[in-house]
């Protein structure tokens, strides 16, 4: 069974996505802050991370780079929840991160 971390500072969104994934046969865990997601990625051996691109303390691109350093095989999906985050994702893509 695949392990998926769902990170979003909006609790309802993280919980809902985690529940949907759980009902679809995945082992999913909702996390609400960057620090918890980074720790869980290592401790829980997650295979996939779905995260809001814009969260407090660390942007999604920076977190994705950190996860890739710690867990190179982990796949990461950043979801732009705000209009302004599309520029952030384009900049990361231009630098070869996405």
């Amino acid at each position: 069974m695949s392990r998926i971390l769902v990170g979003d500072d909006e609790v309802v969104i993280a919980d809902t996505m985690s529940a949907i994934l759980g009902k679809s046969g995945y082992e999913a865990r909702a996390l609400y802050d960057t620090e918890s997601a980074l720790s869980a990625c290592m401790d829980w051996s997650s295979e996939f991370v779905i995260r809001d691109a814009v969260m407090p303390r660390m942007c999604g691109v920076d977190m994705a780079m950190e996860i890739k350093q710690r867990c190179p095989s982990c796949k990461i999906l950043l979801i732009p929840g705000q209009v302004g985050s599309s520029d952030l994702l384009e900049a990361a893509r231009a630098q070869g991160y996405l």
Side-chain angles (χ1 to χ4, degrees), residues 7 20 23-24 27 32 38 75 88:
I20 290 168
K23 289 182 186 244
S24 298
E27 190 174 352
Y32 317 111
L38 286 172
K75 305 294 185 229
L88 176 70

Side-chain angles (χ1 to χ4, degrees), residues 43-80:
D43 298 339
W44 200 49
S45 301
S46 59
E47 299 165 43
F48 200 81
V49 174
I50 300 172
R51 186 191 188 269
D52 185 359
V54 179
M55 284 177 63
R57 294 194 246 305
M58 183 183 278
C59 79
V61 174
D62 291 340
M63 184 182 158
M65 290 187 292
E66 183 72 26
I67 289 172
K68 279 300 195 183
Q69 287 178 348
R70 296 180 185 196
C71 307
S73 64
C74 186
K75 305 294 185 229
I76 303 161
L77 173 64
L78 297 176
I79 300 174

Side-chain angles (χ1 to χ4, degrees), residues 3-53:
R3 290 180 163 187
I4 301 174
L5 294 175
V6 178
D8 200 308
D9 54 333
E10 296 289 335
V11 174
V12 173
I13 292 172
D15 287 347
T16 301
M17 288 179 70
S18 182
I20 290 168
L21 290 165
K23 289 182 186 244
S24 298
Y26 297 96
E27 190 174 352
R29 183 182 292 179
L31 300 163
Y32 317 111
D33 62 77
T34 300
E35 293 80 12
S36 297
L38 286 172
S39 295
C41 190
M42 295 295 294
D43 298 339
W44 200 49
S45 301
S46 59
E47 299 165 43
F48 200 81
V49 174
I50 300 172
R51 186 191 188 269
D52 185 359

